[in-house]
Amino acid sequence: MENYPMLFPCPNPNSSNYPISSTSGSVEGLMRNFEGENSNNNGGFLGLRPSHDDLEKRSSSSGVGEGKSSEEGGGGGNSGKMKKGEKKARKPRYAFQTRSQVDILDDGYRWRKYGQKAVKNNKFPRSYYRCTHQGCNVKKQVQRLTKDEGVVVTTYEGVHNHPIEKTTDNFEHILSQMQIYTPF
DNA sequence: CGTGTTTGACCGGCGC
DNA sequence: GCGCCGGTCAAACACG
């Protein structure tokens, strides 16, 4: 994947409110609860939810409700590489909707796709990405809404602890290709 | 040859 | 206890 569509999910490049690199506090302030059920969510608002993990209650048949993360190195292929009984680190997650033609919103980091699953209430599959930087366990998942093909929901999990690889000159290009849904 | 994608299977929690 | 469901791994493949 060398063609970088390059979209950045930040409405204000000059602002310090980067969804990923900044502290969660400032980001949380900007967004509203995203728990309204997505599929019926005819959009129009920027959904962001710093998940506090525990209250993950999915409404079974009605909700897409994300399950819990099983932490890195978890589960999977029974090769016996994960330690069981390890405590689960709960990480904050940031979700936001963007309007874009492309699914992959490149924010300047390098992502490796590690999975793709179909979600029950959506026709479009959800893609799982992980930052390829060593020691950087930032994960991200991209999902497209059924109702609005133009709306892409991106969920970031974790914080990068290494500098970006690309210059920020691309922001102009990035912003030209996307528009953020704002409730205001 | 290195890097990332594809894809099926598996894991683990929760609901029933 | 079983089955659903979301999340993840890993081998094979594709591409530069």
Side-chain angles (χ1 to χ4, degrees), chain A residues 112-146:
Chain A
R112 171 187 118 249
K113 180 190 270 191
Y114 66 89
Q116 177 173 320
K117 281 286 272 198
V119 192
K120 247 210 162 44
N121 284 282
N122 289 333
K123 357 187 303 192
F124 302 104
R126 175 187 296 165
S127 300
Y128 299 90
Y129 298 90
R130 175 176 286 179
C131 186
T132 58
H133 190 92
Q134 179 181 348
C136 188
N137 293 320
V138 178
K139 286 180 281 191
K140 148 178 125 173
Q141 53 185 248
V142 179
Q143 179 181 355
R144 194 177 279 271
L145 291 186
T146 303

Side-chain angles (χ1 to χ4, degrees), chain A residues 67-138:
Chain A
K68 26 266 350 247
S69 59
S70 37
E71 189 62 13
E72 68 277 5
N78 79 358
S79 298
K81 32 183 61 142
M82 101 171 174
K83 303 176 172 163
K84 49 206 251 193
E86 193 67 24
K87 64 174 176 245
K88 298 176 181 178
R90 34 196 67 162
K91 302 181 262 209
R93 297 198 295 191
Y94 319 106
F96 41 85
Q97 297 182 13
T98 58
R99 202 157 231 273
S100 170
Q101 306 271 357
V102 290
D103 294 4
I104 314 298
L105 278 68
D106 197 326
D107 48 14
Y109 292 98
R110 181 142 282 156
W111 301 95
R112 171 187 118 249
K113 180 190 270 191
Y114 66 89
Q116 177 173 320
K117 281 286 272 198
V119 192
K120 247 210 162 44
N121 284 282
N122 289 333
K123 357 187 303 192
F124 302 104
R126 175 187 296 165
S127 300
Y128 299 90
Y129 298 90
R130 175 176 286 179
C131 186
T132 58
H133 190 92
Q134 179 181 348
C136 188
N137 293 320
V138 178

